[in-house]
């Protein structure tokens, strides 16, 4: 029979908590030194970030593709977690054509008062294009692919990944983001994150890869992304960043590198990072933010959860008082979509947080407030409409 202490230790290994995050443990991981000798294809290490010359990388790929993929994968996982590929787009005319498309889209958004809704910035401070991938493809399908981008995606996620992208233009004076980790768990509150066992904290980073294509030269004064190399290896990090001492450590210890037009930075989504403040007076810092998703993050069957939810709602209203709150929660979870993504962020932006309202949250709200069946069905339909491409 297990003692109380053994049970507590087992629970700690399975369930992580914000209170258990330890800055000393984190620093032992985050203060490692990146050794250039461990990455034979890399050209340099600057501020603990690996620098790769894109020509050299592609030449090495022709000699031993699998070895290059393994090196990049290790760098994202157990290494510094961030790689800067210099001159990934040698022909920066490709970048200029894409930038012109994005500038036109932003102008149209201003005229029509649509788009925007940045995760972090105050309304109007920056310009955001949601789903720039599709909009770029429809506007200029030839100007669309890159070998270095494809190599990084394959190295971390394997084949059959799914691309998404969002343009972020940080205007002069645009303030820095707060330190964060990215999608999936990085977009949730501590209350939600603590409900996931530790192995899911380890799983989340291998489901996506983050990247940014520089659409202009980005000297340090423009606020290129702040990184904390090696921070992705701290498993409780999704919770740690909710604590002030970890945010303070990031502010004191982060590093930054200038970028040139055509450079691409890729990083593990669990790496502590944040966009910097644009202190320039005349440079609009433009990056196409790439988010690549694993092919394995989808269900086997398609299910009409809107129709199911409309059918379940009247029954749950009738059973309120006879079912416990947990029983209602379990029924909603088995029926309604409990996750915010994927969605159309143009129509369904994250308001008041990092993630839009879920179908399950909508049903709980309707049950609490005693909506009519007709009102809930209409709200379901509108919720579904917002998510359509």
């Amino acid at each position: 029979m297990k003692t109380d202490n053994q049970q507590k230790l087992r629970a700690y290994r399975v369930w992580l908590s914000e209170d258990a995050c330890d800055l000393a443990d984190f620093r032992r991981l985050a203060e490692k030194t990146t050794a250039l000798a461990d990455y034979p294809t890399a050209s340099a290490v600057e501020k603990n970030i690996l620098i790769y010359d894109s020509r050299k990388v592609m030449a090495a790929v022709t000699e031993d593709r699998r070895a290059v993929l393994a090196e990049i994968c290790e760098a994202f996982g157990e290494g510094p977690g961030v790689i800067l590929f210099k001159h990934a787009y040698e022909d920066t005319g490709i970048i200029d054509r894409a930038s012109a498309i994005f500038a036109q889209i932003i102008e149209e958004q201003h005229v029509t008062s649509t788009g925007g809704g940045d995760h972090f910035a105050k309304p109007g401070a920056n310009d955001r294009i949601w789903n720039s991938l599709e909009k770029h493809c429809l506007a200029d399908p030839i100007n669309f692919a890159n070998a270095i981008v494809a190599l990084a995606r394959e190295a971390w996620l394997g084949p059959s990944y799914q691309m998404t992208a969002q343009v972020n233009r940080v205007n002069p004076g645009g303030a820095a983001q707060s330190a964060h980790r990215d999608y999936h768990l990085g977009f949730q509150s501590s209350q939600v994150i603590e409900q996931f066992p530790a192995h899911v904290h380890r799983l989340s980073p291998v489901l996506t890869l983050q990247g940014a294509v520089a659409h202009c030269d980005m000297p340090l004064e423009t606020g290129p992304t702040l990184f904390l190399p090696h921070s992705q290896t701290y498993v409780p990090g999704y919770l740690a960043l909710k604590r002030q001492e970890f945010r303070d450590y990031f502010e004191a210890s982060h590093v930054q590198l200038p970028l040139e037009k055509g450079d691409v930075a890729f990083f593990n989504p669990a790496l502590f990072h944040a966009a910097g403040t644009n202190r320039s007076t005349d440079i609009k810092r433009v990056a196409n933010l790439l988010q690549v998703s694993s092919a394995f993050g989808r269900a086997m069957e398609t299910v009409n959860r809107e129709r199911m939810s409309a059918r379940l709602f009247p029954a749950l209203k009738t059973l309120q008082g006879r079912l416990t709150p947990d029983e209602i929660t379990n029924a909603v979870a088995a029926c309604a979509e409990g996750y915010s993504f994927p969605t159309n962020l143009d129509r369904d932006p994250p308001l008041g947080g990092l993630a839009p309202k879920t179908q399950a949250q909508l049903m709980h709200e309707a049950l609490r407030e005693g909506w009519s069946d007709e009102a809930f069905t209409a709200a379901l339909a509108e919720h579904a409409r917002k998510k359509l491409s």
Side-chain angles (χ1 to χ4, degrees):
M1 185 173 179
K2 296 190 186 316
T3 66
D4 286 345
N5 284 339
Q6 286 175 318
Q7 289 176 330
K8 289 178 181 178
L9 180 60
R10 184 177 185 181
Y12 176 74
R13 288 199 301 265
V14 174
W15 303 103
L16 305 177
S17 70
E18 184 181 327
D19 291 340
C21 294
D22 185 274
L23 184 59
D25 289 344
F26 174 71
R27 292 184 62 170
R28 280 190 285 272
L29 297 172
E31 294 175 6
K32 290 180 180 177
T33 299
T34 305
L36 181 60
D38 293 337
Y39 304 93
T41 312
S43 299
V45 173
E46 296 183 26
K47 301 179 182 178
N48 248 3
I49 295 174
L50 281 166
I51 311 296
Y52 281 77
D53 177 82
S54 296
R55 279 190 182 180
K56 181 181 176 181
V57 171
M58 296 314 299
V61 165
T62 63
E63 297 294 324
D64 192 342
R65 181 180 182 85
R66 185 57 63 89
V68 176
L69 290 171
E71 179 180 326
I72 292 171
C73 183
E74 195 279 333
F76 287 144
E78 299 304 316
V82 54
I83 295 174
L84 176 57
F85 292 97
K86 295 296 294 181
H87 311 301
Y89 289 83
E90 285 193 278
D91 178 7
T92 57
I94 294 172
I95 297 290
D96 292 337
R97 290 198 300 275
S99 295
I101 292 168
F102 297 148
Q104 182 179 1
I105 293 171
I106 289 172
E107 182 60 29
E108 290 172 356
Q109 289 182 169
H110 286 178
V111 170
T112 59
S113 300
T114 58
D118 198 344
H119 283 305
F120 293 93
K122 295 179 180 179
N126 300 333
D127 292 296
R128 173 79 70 154
I129 303 175
W130 298 116
N131 192 11
S132 61
L133 182 86
E134 180 179 340
K135 293 166 184 172
H136 184 189
C137 180
L138 294 177
D140 191 353
I142 295 175
N143 181 26
F144 198 60
N146 178 272
I148 287 292
V149 172
L151 189 74
R153 296 181 307 210
E154 183 181 350
W156 188 238
L157 299 170
S160 306
Y161 46 74
Q162 295 224 313
M163 278 292 300
T164 60
Q166 306 91 31
V167 168
N168 196 31
R169 187 173 77 181
V170 181
N171 300 314
Q177 295 175 341
S178 55
H180 61 282
R181 284 179 162 184
D182 274 332
Y183 188 73
H184 292 262
L185 284 184
F187 280 16
Q188 308 299 329
S189 65
S190 291
Q191 183 180 14
V192 172
I193 294 169
E194 287 182 344
Q195 297 176 45
F196 289 91
H199 72 269
V200 178
H201 291 240
R202 297 184 180 94
L203 173 65
S204 187
V206 300
L207 291 175
T208 57
L209 178 67
Q210 303 297 128
V213 181
H215 278 247
C216 63
D217 289 345
M218 298 181 183
L220 292 183
E221 66 184 29
T222 66
T225 304
L226 319 173
F227 294 114
L228 189 59
H230 299 280
S231 56
Q232 83 284 0
T233 59
Y234 187 60
V235 175
Y238 292 103
L239 291 164
L241 273 172
K242 312 296 183 181
R243 298 183 64 87
Q244 189 62 47
E245 67 267 28
F246 284 84
R247 295 194 293 271
D248 290 343
Y249 181 81
F250 176 86
E251 290 302 317
S253 306
H254 67 253
V255 298
Q256 240 179 332
L257 289 179
L259 276 69
E260 297 175 279
K261 186 198 303 184
D263 291 349
V264 179
F266 273 104
F267 55 97
N268 185 313
L271 193 77
F272 287 21
H273 68 282
T277 298
N278 187 348
R279 294 186 172 86
S280 73
T281 58
D282 58 352
I283 301 174
K284 295 181 178 180
R285 192 184 81 232
V286 181
N288 197 11
L289 308 179
L290 309 180
Q291 187 178 80
V292 198
S293 293
S294 167
F296 300 145
R298 290 173 287 172
M300 182 183 291
E301 292 183 306
T302 56
V303 177
N304 190 330
R305 299 192 183 278
E306 180 185 351
R307 184 166 58 191
M308 290 171 61
S309 297
R311 180 70 170 166
L312 177 65
F313 177 72
L316 289 182
K317 274 204 311 181
T318 302
L319 292 170
Q320 279 183 317
R322 285 186 279 167
L323 295 179
T324 67
D326 282 348
E327 286 172 331
I328 290 176
T329 295
N330 292 342
V332 172
C335 172
E337 175 58 61
Y339 196 42
S340 302
F341 305 103
T343 191
N344 183 322
L345 286 163
D346 279 320
R347 286 197 293 261
D348 190 27
L351 301 175
L354 294 176
K357 184 183 295 184
T358 70
Q359 197 179 60
Q361 288 170 333
L362 181 65
M363 191 186 296
H364 281 297
E365 179 183 346
L367 287 169
R368 273 195 316 271
E369 298 178 3
W371 293 8
S372 69
D373 297 350
E374 294 76 17
F376 178 65
T377 300
L380 273 177
E382 175 62 13
H383 185 270
R385 185 195 68 80
K386 288 180 179 179
K387 292 182 173 293
L388 292 174
S389 61

